Amino acid sequence: MENDKIFEITADFVTVEVQDKNTGKVYRRELPIDYTENANFLRLRAEGYTGEMSELVFFTPRGIERLHDMMGGGADHDDCGTY
């Protein structure tokens, strides 16, 4: 299945691994965070300390360009090959 193209990655949990800068000890935690990644962004969504949903979105350079294009701020070029 190496020829299959992946367009989106999703998960209900993420694993965070950190190394304490004082002791050098590595800590690993599994957290209930919804993870969504595609060519345009990476989104982390979870319940915050107040119980309400909260999210962080990190745009890729491609995602930022597309966002600018949708808002009318991008260059006048056709990414789709004129169709």
Side-chain angles (χ1 to χ4, degrees):
M1 299 221 172
E2 291 181 33
N3 292 334
D4 293 343
K5 292 188 178 187
I6 298 172
F7 295 102
E8 184 177 61
I9 301 167
T10 61
D12 295 330
F13 290 87
V14 300
T15 302
V16 176
E17 185 175 283
V18 297
Q19 183 175 14
D20 183 74
K21 62 183 173 181
N22 295 321
T23 65
K25 188 171 181 179
V26 175
Y27 297 91
R28 187 178 175 118
R29 304 284 186 262
E30 187 174 274
L31 303 171
I33 297 174
D34 292 334
Y35 178 96
T36 304
E37 178 184 353
N38 63 33
N40 298 313
F41 66 87
L42 181 147
R43 182 181 71 195
L44 303 172
R45 188 170 188 253
E47 186 176 298
Y49 73 93
T50 62
E52 295 182 27
M53 292 305 287
S54 183
E55 67 182 25
L56 291 170
V57 177
F58 303 92
F59 287 96
T60 64
R62 176 182 174 194
I64 291 172
E65 181 180 335
R66 288 179 179 239
L67 188 60
H68 283 220
D69 287 347
M70 287 189 312
M71 297 174 64
D76 290 331
H77 65 277
D78 183 8
D79 288 333
C80 297
T82 67
Y83 68 88

